[in-house]
Amino acid sequence: SFPTRRSSDLSCLNSYSQREGKGAEMMMKGALFDLDGVLADTASLHFKAWRKLAKENFGRSLPDELENKTRGISRSDSLSVILDYLEITVSKAKFHRLAEEKNQIYRNFLTDLSPDEVLPGMRDFITDLRKKGILTALASASQNGPFILERTGLSKYFNAIVDPSKIEAGKPAPDIYLAATAALELSPKECVGFEDAVSGIQSLKAAGIVSVGIGSDHEVGQADLRFSSTGDINFDDVEEIWAEITNNA
């Protein structure tokens, strides 16, 4: 059930022999990405949609501090967090309807999404990875991942996209990142993952994948390597920390 590589993307495997010829040490072969807040400036739209949902259905407002608790996790898990905060219990049918309604609100917000919403430096960084023969996979809890990649012009940069609806346990469980490594036919230790949320970093660590956090120390301080913003990310630092952790394990 895992997604497979698109045949048109297999050309980037050609440089594997060059990368593996540098002695006995393992080489980094895969890069796994969260979406919202890592690749595209869409993270804030999720909470904006949740706020609209809460106001329209319950006449209630959601505080800013609730946003962090809903970041990086699935739509269902986010809805559970919000309903717990509101101290509201709903039937299974209404829960499903609310989740779908939130998704429709969110997709309406995405209508104006364009390549301009790709976060600073990320298109160049992924292009650099691909030139170096490193495979890429999207491991986002968002079921709108393919749509967002298409709207932002990033689809062509990815070898695999994990379908979160087929993942049994969402972040912080390791399932989605293990599915991403399987989709690329790589082992977890051959990969590095990029995240902007606590749940995502925990997911990477549980999967045994070197983690790169994007954001504040408070948000992603658990990561093996942290950059304050996407514009600061560079390949040399990422490869260095990956090699240090992996080859000294």
Side-chain angles (χ1 to χ4, degrees):
S1 62
F2 293 136
T4 56
R5 299 193 197 98
R6 292 189 280 269
S7 58
S8 60
D9 287 324
L10 294 177
S11 59
C12 59
L13 287 169
N14 294 342
S15 59
Y16 266 23
S17 56
Q18 300 164 15
R19 292 177 60 74
E20 291 183 311
K22 298 180 182 177
E25 288 192 339
M26 186 182 290
M27 301 303 296
M28 187 171 79
K29 296 179 184 176
L32 319 175
F33 294 87
D34 180 39
L35 177 54
D36 301 317
V38 172
L39 295 173
D41 190 15
T42 50
S44 62
L45 297 180
H46 279 291
F47 199 61
K48 184 179 177 184
W50 285 123
R51 278 186 153 147
K52 185 174 171 65
L53 183 86
K55 181 65 74 176
E56 291 181 352
N57 284 273
F58 307 112
R60 300 279 297 277
S61 298
L62 302 179
D64 292 345
E65 55 266 25
L66 203 61
E67 182 171 3
N68 268 345
K69 294 181 180 179
T70 62
R71 284 178 65 191
I73 60 177
S74 70
R75 194 186 314 155
S76 294
D77 289 344
S78 294
L79 180 54
S80 294
V81 167
I82 287 164
L83 291 174
D84 284 347
Y85 168 79
L86 296 174
E87 297 182 338
I88 290 173
T89 303
V90 298
S91 66
K92 276 189 177 180
K94 184 165 185 181
F95 186 94
H96 180 73
R97 184 183 63 75
L98 288 169
E100 286 303 309
E101 185 180 335
K102 181 268 176 181
N103 189 47
Q104 192 53 56
I105 295 170
Y106 177 67
R107 284 182 72 92
N108 288 341
F109 289 155
L110 292 177
T111 304
D112 297 327
L113 202 64
S114 74
D116 292 338
E117 269 68 52
V118 176
L119 286 165
M122 291 310 287
R123 193 185 304 276
D124 289 343
F125 179 65
I126 296 174
T127 300
D128 193 29
L129 291 177
R130 296 293 299 267
K131 286 178 180 175
K132 288 177 165 61
I134 293 173
L135 296 173
T136 53
L138 184 72
S140 169
S142 174
Q143 294 183 35
N144 294 297
F147 176 74
I148 293 171
L149 289 186
E150 184 183 336
R151 298 287 300 187
T152 54
L154 291 176
S155 296
K156 63 184 178 183
Y157 298 100
F158 283 86
N159 301 99
I161 299 172
V162 178
D163 181 352
S165 69
K166 292 183 167 60
I167 302 301
E168 188 169 341
K171 302 173 187 180
D175 302 34
I176 195 164
Y177 278 109
L178 293 176
T181 63
L184 298 178
E185 298 177 14
L186 298 174
S187 69
K189 62 186 178 181
E190 291 177 302
C191 299
V192 62
F194 298 82
E195 272 283 354
D196 74 323
V198 173
S199 60
I201 298 298
Q202 292 171 340
S203 178
L204 285 166
K205 286 187 170 294
I209 297 167
V210 172
S211 58
V212 177
I214 302 163
S216 70
D217 189 58
H218 172 71
E219 293 169 319
V220 290
Q222 295 179 357
D224 296 311
L225 176 65
R226 182 180 69 83
F227 294 101
S228 296
S229 69
T230 57
D232 297 326
I233 296 176
N234 68 86
F235 179 81
D236 290 343
D237 285 350
V238 171
E239 187 174 49
E240 184 179 345
I241 193 70
W242 179 89
E244 183 181 316
I245 291 171
T246 305
N247 293 313
N248 290 331

